[in-house]
Amino acid sequence: MTERKQFRAIKGTRDILPPESARWTWFEHTAREVFESYNFGEIRLPVFEETELFARSIGAETDVVSKEMYTFQDYDSSALSELRDALLTWPFSLYSSQDQRSFDSFRSQVDEFLRLGRDAFDAGRIPKSPENDASLRNVAEMRESMIHFAMQRTADEVRVRIELLKDSVRALRLGDEVVLRPEATASVCRAYIEHNMHALSGNQKLYYIGPMFRRERPQKGRYRQFYQIGAEVLGQSDAPAIDAEVLEMLLVFFNRVGLTRTTLYINSIGDKNCRPHYVELLRQELQKVKEKLGPDSQRRIETNPLRVLDSKIPEEQAIIEKLPRISDHLCDDCRAHFAKLKEELALRGIDYKENWRLVRGLDYYTRTTFEVTAEGLGSQNAVCGGGRYDGLVELLGGPPTKGIGFAIGTDRSILSIEESGNAPKLGGLAIYIAWMGQASYPAAVSVARKLRAAGLAVELPPEEMKFKKSLGLADKLGARYAVIIGEDEVASRTFTLKRLADGDQKKLAEGELLEYLESERRR
């Protein structure tokens, strides 16, 4: 007998179970309370988007886009997909140069693939792109010469020809490239453009809560399905006061949830007027020490010199510390913006440290960048990162728009709170109803409903249990009180309320019971 497979969560994902899930609910609820007090509204975004959205916003050459995204094609052409699979898996062992019939099934499949493919292309059921048109034409051209070629050439030559045809078949895109979102800022900007939010009054202040997906190596506090809470401000102003208020809101939230042993780092990375000059200077200085750097940093000298400053390799730290600092190369406007930001932070009583190595490598990032780190997470100790991205909306096809935002790593933030000992003790089960005898069951159902309507968590056993066993279960479930209903209680129209922590108990009429427990809940 075949052993049944035991299904488990996929590597890099996990189940968040009670009571831990209650802590997550509390964390997210607190974020909503804080953010909405700053007039931010929640935006709920799709979990998947077009791949091109992130290739353009994050950068096609970044590790996130090139290595870590979960990408797939979204299409309706099931018959065309089945034919493509059949062609790509056609075994060359069926070919015989002495028997043309051995090639007939393959040729017929190619003919049908071309017919269905061209129909789907013309009708728009597959992307009407120049690449798809070229793929179909290539398959058609190869098909015309395939039979004569197959009967006149060696088996190795025919094999090469068939593989070329398969490459053209494989290149046909049956649908849009879509991806499970690796981050949400690009999605927020896409929604801002799509719904013409630039035409609304004032800055648009939005927050989101939800899962993101990256195929990273799982480690402490880092998963392939991970969760973020983020906020974005989009509009026509880049006033430093906006940056400061965003940082104030972030730190108020962290303080509210007990994430207090944190450090805020800030920097300015300039703008399109001064950063290109600094990047070129940095590249020149890196070329001088290239041989002392590792392969990743050597590659980034040409592709993205700012990313070298992110290096965590111990042997490179002394070299990086001697490199030119962007703060010494800001233009007057960027220097004034950064100085004003620091004034605004001082006005709000916000402590910070400047970190000249806190950079963003993409062109649309401008001026303010920031990061918050927390204790108890080892070297991967960042719980939030963000910055100003005044060029992103325009890059994605929208009007010129200023923007700033951040993303909080929920997994790592909660882990830090737990390891600091600041995790709150949440409500849990308030009342366990221990009823004995069928005559008491209607009263148990009635009082359970009324207690729940008052906002109390109540457990009502579906079947009668012996008294000792019932109270034992109440204790295991962590109930604070047991409401005991037996023959005596039914006869006297009272309830026995027992506090399980110390055994104290009292008899109460229904109204007294409800009033007492409601007052306990409000404490």
Side-chain angles (χ1 to χ4, degrees), residues 265-322:
Y265 295 96
I266 64 170
N267 190 28
S268 176
I269 58 171
D271 61 12
K272 61 183 179 182
N273 296 315
C274 55
R275 188 166 65 244
H277 169 73
Y278 170 73
V279 170
E280 188 54 39
L281 175 64
L282 181 62
R283 180 180 283 113
Q284 293 173 10
E285 294 301 313
L286 286 168
Q287 288 287 2
K288 297 175 183 178
V289 294
K290 181 176 181 179
E291 299 307 316
K292 298 179 181 179
L293 300 173
D296 283 344
S297 293
Q298 289 186 9
R299 175 175 52 83
R300 288 168 178 162
I301 292 174
E302 297 304 326
T303 61
N304 200 336
L306 288 174
R307 290 289 310 281
V308 177
L309 304 181
D310 285 333
S311 171
K312 302 296 189 294
I313 298 174
E315 294 78 11
E316 295 183 349
Q317 302 311 300
I319 299 171
I320 293 173
E321 281 300 316
K322 296 177 182 178

Side-chain angles (χ1 to χ4, degrees), residues 141-158:
E141 291 171 4
M142 291 182 185
R143 185 259 175 224
E144 288 300 318
S145 61
M146 184 172 58
I147 298 302
H148 297 297
F149 188 92
M151 305 308 296
Q152 297 171 9
R153 303 298 178 96
T154 66
D156 286 343
E157 290 175 315
V158 173

Side-chain angles (χ1 to χ4, degrees), residues 272-424:
K272 61 183 179 182
N273 296 315
C274 55
R275 188 166 65 244
H277 169 73
Y278 170 73
V279 170
E280 188 54 39
L281 175 64
L282 181 62
R283 180 180 283 113
Q284 293 173 10
E285 294 301 313
L286 286 168
Q287 288 287 2
K288 297 175 183 178
V289 294
K290 181 176 181 179
E291 299 307 316
K292 298 179 181 179
L293 300 173
D296 283 344
S297 293
Q298 289 186 9
R299 175 175 52 83
R300 288 168 178 162
I301 292 174
E302 297 304 326
T303 61
N304 200 336
L306 288 174
R307 290 289 310 281
V308 177
L309 304 181
D310 285 333
S311 171
K312 302 296 189 294
I313 298 174
E315 294 78 11
E316 295 183 349
Q317 302 311 300
I319 299 171
I320 293 173
E321 281 300 316
K322 296 177 182 178
L323 293 171
R325 303 192 173 204
I326 194 166
S327 56
D328 297 328
H329 298 273
L330 296 176
C331 63
D332 291 343
D333 287 345
C334 289
R335 187 175 290 107
H337 186 278
F338 194 41
K340 183 61 176 175
L341 169 62
K342 289 183 281 188
E343 287 180 20
E344 291 281 354
L345 294 176
L347 178 65
R348 291 165 169 78
I350 296 175
D351 294 326
Y352 61 87
K353 293 182 179 180
E354 292 186 49
N355 180 2
W356 70 276
R357 290 177 57 176
L358 187 58
V359 296
R360 299 288 185 268
L362 301 175
D363 289 343
Y364 59 77
Y365 281 109
T366 56
R367 296 182 173 172
T368 307
T369 60
F370 57 88
E371 182 177 83
V372 178
T373 62
E375 294 184 11
L377 297 174
S379 60
Q380 298 289 332
N381 60 352
V383 292
C384 177
R388 180 161 285 286
Y389 48 85
D390 292 346
L392 180 53
V393 171
E394 192 171 4
L395 179 69
L396 296 177
T401 303
K402 311 296 184 182
I404 186 171
F406 63 77
I408 298 166
T410 305
D411 304 82
R412 282 197 270 182
S413 295
I414 291 178
L415 179 61
S416 181
I417 293 169
E418 290 171 342
E419 296 202 350
S420 69
N422 290 335

Side-chain angles (χ1 to χ4, degrees), residues 89-97 99 102-103 106 155 158-159 162-163 166:
T89 57
W90 186 81
F92 187 73
S93 59
L94 296 180
Y95 166 74
S96 170
S97 60
D99 186 359
S102 67
F103 221 49
F106 184 72
V158 173
R159 183 192 296 272
I162 288 175
E163 289 303 320
K166 286 184 177 183

